[in-house]
């Protein structure tokens, strides 16, 4: 995995494949001008195969979720092997919008393992719903991180990217994102928790992303002062003007 990583989480957007193609094209062009950065598009899964087929390098593709079983009577679910075969190399797992609708830690842990089984790089999302003066949010983050990695042997943890996404910042404007100083503190905390499973040198190498109100206005400062390896970007990843600027900010 390249050290600088930007993952575009399109969520349930855009409504038509024609628009999806346009956004993917603009993203690809920007990625071509940022050779040190890996850019991953996670579209709705119905667009995946066609977008990946037309892409011919430049960007990679991922999905926003997978199911943990390989096959069988699981109506509506899609396996990690199916999306791998359709062109995905990454899988977002445990996004707060899924946790909010009932996805539990034990399920998330199984999905991380299933992604690795299919040679998908899991992007494990963690993050507190709110901050409090006593630092309770730190134990929320610790629990989500350790439970999400519970089924993964230490040797495989380096293949997982950790996306720290405070729920209170998701979907907001740039000025409502986390302060770079607070992000830096959280990145240190996450690495510290990782040292409970990994040697220090290995924990330092785990890719940590930030997500929540990343726009071109705050990308550069969050990356450098926050000391993270890249971003998980929601609404701005659908913006044909702003997303290329975020890619450029991460490249510089
Ligand atoms: P946002 O979403 O960039 O729109 O805040 C991030 C996410 O939910 O992954």
């Amino acid at each position: 995995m390249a050290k600088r990583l930007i993952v575009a989480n399109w969520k349930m957007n855009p409504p038509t494949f024609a628009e999806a193609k346009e956004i993917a094209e603009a993203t690809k062009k920007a990625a071509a001008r940022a050779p040190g950065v890996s850019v991953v598009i996670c579209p709705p899964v119905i667009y995946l195969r066609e977008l990946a087929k037309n892409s011919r390098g430049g960007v990679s593709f991922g999905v926003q979720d997978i199911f943990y079983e390989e096959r069988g009577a699981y109506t509506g679910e899609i396996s990690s092997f199916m999306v791998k075969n359709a062109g995905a190399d990454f899988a977002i797992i445990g996004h707060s919008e899924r946790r909010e609708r009932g996805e539990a830690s034990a399920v998330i842990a199984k999905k991380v393992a299933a992604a690795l089984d299919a040679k998908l790089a899991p992007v494990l999302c963690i993050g507190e719903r709110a901050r409090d003066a006593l630092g309770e949010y730190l134990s929320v983050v610790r629990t989500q991180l350790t439970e999400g990695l519970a089924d993964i042997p230490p040797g495989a943890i380096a293949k997982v990217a950790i996306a720290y996404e405070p729920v209170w910042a998701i979907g907001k404007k740039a000025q409502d994102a986390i302060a770079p100083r607070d992000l830096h503190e959280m990145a240190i905390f996450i690495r510290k928790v990782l040292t409970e499973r990994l040697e220090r040198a290995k924990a330092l190498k785990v890719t940590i992303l930030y997500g929540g109100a990343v726009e071109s206005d705050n990308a550069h400062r969050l990356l450098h002062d926050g000391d993270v390896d890249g971003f998980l970007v929601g609404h701005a990843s659908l913006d044909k003007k702003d997303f290329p600027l975020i890619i450029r900010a991460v490249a510089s």
Side-chain angles (χ1 to χ4, degrees):
M1 203 181 287
K3 229 7 207 173
R4 295 254 168 108
L5 177 66
I6 306 182
V7 181
N9 177 10
W10 286 5
K11 308 191 180 183
M12 203 172 72
N13 300 293
T16 67
F17 182 67
E19 289 165 89
K21 236 162 73 179
E22 277 179 28
I23 301 164
E25 277 310 310
T27 302
K28 224 165 70 181
K29 265 194 210 144
R33 291 192 292 263
V37 185
S38 290
V39 180
V40 180
I41 298 175
C42 298
V45 77
I46 193 163
Y47 301 147
L48 171 67
R49 183 182 288 277
E50 198 64 19
L51 288 179
K53 195 172 79 193
N54 292 330
S55 128
R56 286 184 292 274
V59 291
S60 306
F61 288 87
V63 290
Q64 301 167 18
D65 183 38
I66 47 158
F67 191 57
Y68 51 78
E69 295 289 355
E70 216 178 306
R71 63 173 68 201
Y74 303 104
T75 302
E77 302 290 6
I78 298 173
S79 78
S80 54
F81 291 91
M82 289 171 186
V83 299
K84 178 73 186 184
N85 287 334
D89 290 309
F90 290 77
I92 297 172
I93 294 171
H95 191 280
S96 61
E97 285 155 15
R98 299 198 58 82
R99 290 180 191 261
E100 248 156 58
R101 286 173 33 248
E103 191 158 297
S105 285
V107 168
I108 290 166
K110 284 189 190 183
K111 290 183 173 185
V112 174
L116 289 171
D117 284 346
K119 302 212 159 17
L120 296 169
V123 178
L124 171 63
C125 300
I126 56 174
E128 78 279 4
R129 298 175 59 83
R131 289 225 161 182
D132 59 295
L134 293 176
E136 188 53 37
Y137 63 93
L138 291 171
S139 53
V140 171
V141 169
R142 167 191 287 280
T143 303
Q144 289 180 352
L145 181 58
T146 50
E147 291 183 348
L149 296 174
D151 296 349
I152 308 302
I157 291 178
K159 295 180 187 151
V160 182
I162 308 298
Y164 169 63
E165 297 204 298
V167 180
W168 48 266
I170 291 178
K172 302 279 174 56
K173 302 302 289 171
Q175 65 268 18
D176 303 314
I178 196 169
R181 175 180 8 96
D182 294 342
L183 177 57
H184 190 189
E185 204 175 87
M186 182 56 81
I188 292 169
F189 178 72
I190 289 170
R191 292 196 194 287
K192 179 143 180 51
V193 174
L194 288 172
T195 60
E196 292 164 13
R197 296 281 314 277
L198 292 176
E199 289 162 29
R200 199 172 162 274
K202 293 208 172 112
L204 286 173
K205 282 203 187 119
V206 173
T207 301
I208 298 182
L209 307 179
Y210 168 75
V214 175
E215 296 180 350
S216 60
D217 285 348
N218 58 9
H220 192 269
R221 274 198 65 213
L222 283 169
L223 186 84
H224 292 280
D225 299 348
D227 199 21
V228 288
D229 304 302
F231 298 121
L232 178 51
V233 185
H235 66 273
S237 72
L238 295 155
D239 185 321
K240 285 177 274 177
K241 286 205 177 75
D242 209 44
F243 196 48
L245 294 175
I246 294 174
I247 294 173
R248 195 199 295 172
V250 172
S252 67

